[in-house]
Amino acid sequence: MTAKVANQKIDIEICDDDALIIVDLQPDFMPGGNLPVVGGNEIIEDINDLIPLFKTVVGTQDWHPEGHKSFASAHDSKQPYDLFEAPGLGPVLWPDHCIQGTFSADFHPNLSVDEITLILRKGIHHDIDSYSVFLENDKETETGLSGYLKSRGVKRVFMCGLALDYCIFYSAMDGINFGFEVFVIDNLTRAVDSPPGHLERALSTMKEIGVKFIEKKAILA
Ligand code: VGL
Ligand code: ZN
């Protein structure tokens, strides 16, 4: 579902201090994949258009070992999307998805990967999830992305990809906490919205902390 939340009516010129962060555009998050996000396949070409505008482009991959604890299959009598809370996991359990080295965890074949400057894999630790591209769900293990961006002089990050209420949400919040100005490109992301209401809460929390929502057309080519 597209969230109609763009709250910036401004035009944005991309400069060298800006980074594009393309989150988890992997077959498993597309319709037909193991953890499908409705409309996930609709945003790829528009994201491709933006890549040449940025000097720094990060592409992330959800990259789980088999039997990862975020999977319902790793718990007795649990089904995908069942509510579940444990340190570093939840609020739901997931279908098995994005298993390291499989086609479903690769970048979607239509994504233009040649100009990606950094590929970042997350969710690699067996017992803990990593929704954020900056910090694992223990809230202390860094992925190193903040350091990479800062060493390249990045001040503003533009986020797009999947899923709006999970990886984008936690990444946007951490992005602000690490001192970046964070823009979510509203029409180049889609949400899981599980459990119901998760998207609404994620959107209001992001707005409260100062995440800016823009549409692709606000970015001047
Ligand atoms: C994601 C659920 C589980 C995401 C990853 O990329 O938003 N969501 N793993
Ligand atoms: Zn995952």
Side-chain angles (χ1 to χ4, degrees):
M1 125 186 219
T2 311
K4 297 271 176 268
V5 290
N7 59 7
Q8 301 286 301
K9 295 268 177 286
I10 44 169
D11 289 335
I12 294 174
E13 207 165 330
I14 297 305
C15 62
D16 284 356
D17 298 351
D18 295 331
L20 180 66
I21 303 188
I22 305 169
V23 178
D24 296 4
L25 279 190
Q26 297 163 275
D28 255 350
F29 294 120
M30 303 289 161
N34 288 309
L35 202 173
V37 181
V38 176
N41 55 325
E42 298 165 0
I43 61 177
I44 303 170
E45 303 300 334
D46 280 330
I47 291 175
N48 284 341
D49 293 344
L50 291 181
I51 292 175
L53 305 179
F54 289 82
K55 195 173 141 195
T56 299
V57 181
V58 178
T60 71
Q61 287 173 289
D62 209 33
W63 195 254
H64 298 306
E66 277 181 43
H68 192 258
K69 283 285 191 188
S70 72
F71 301 166
S73 63
H75 303 262
D76 286 336
S77 26
K78 290 287 184 193
Q79 298 300 316
Y81 307 102
D82 278 355
L83 290 172
F84 184 82
E85 286 292 352
L89 302 168
V92 294
L93 290 168
W94 302 110
D96 290 22
H97 66 280
C98 296
I99 307 282
Q100 298 171 354
T102 63
F103 166 81
S104 317
D106 211 339
F107 286 113
H108 188 284
N110 293 353
L111 180 67
S112 305
V113 292
D114 290 354
E115 290 170 77
I116 289 178
T117 56
L118 178 79
I119 294 173
L120 181 93
R121 289 168 168 170
K122 62 184 181 59
I124 58 174
H125 295 122
H126 188 269
D127 293 339
I128 178 172
D129 217 338
S130 187
Y131 296 141
S132 161
V133 299
F134 292 102
L135 270 186
E136 298 194 26
N137 288 12
D138 63 1
K139 304 289 179 206
E140 59 181 43
T141 309
E142 289 199 36
T143 63
L145 182 60
S146 174
Y148 170 78
L149 294 173
K150 284 180 182 166
S151 75
R152 289 171 70 87
V154 169
K155 305 276 188 305
R156 304 192 297 185
V157 295
F158 293 78
M159 294 188 180
C160 57
L162 304 170
L164 175 57
D165 52 336
Y166 279 94
C167 287
I168 299 261
F169 167 47
Y170 287 96
S171 300
M173 302 294 288
D174 286 343
I176 298 269
N177 289 331
F178 276 106
F180 298 100
E181 189 175 353
V182 178
F183 296 80
V184 170
I185 311 170
D186 191 11
N187 55 340
L188 298 188
T189 180
R190 297 288 186 275
V192 174
D193 203 19
S194 177
H198 194 259
L199 172 62
E200 216 43 58
R201 284 194 296 279
L203 290 173
S204 55
T205 310
M206 281 189 277
K207 284 180 197 159
E208 267 163 37
I209 201 179
V211 174
K212 296 173 178 125
F213 291 85
I214 56 166
E215 291 196 357
K216 181 194 177 196
K217 65 174 192 286
I219 298 176
L220 300 176

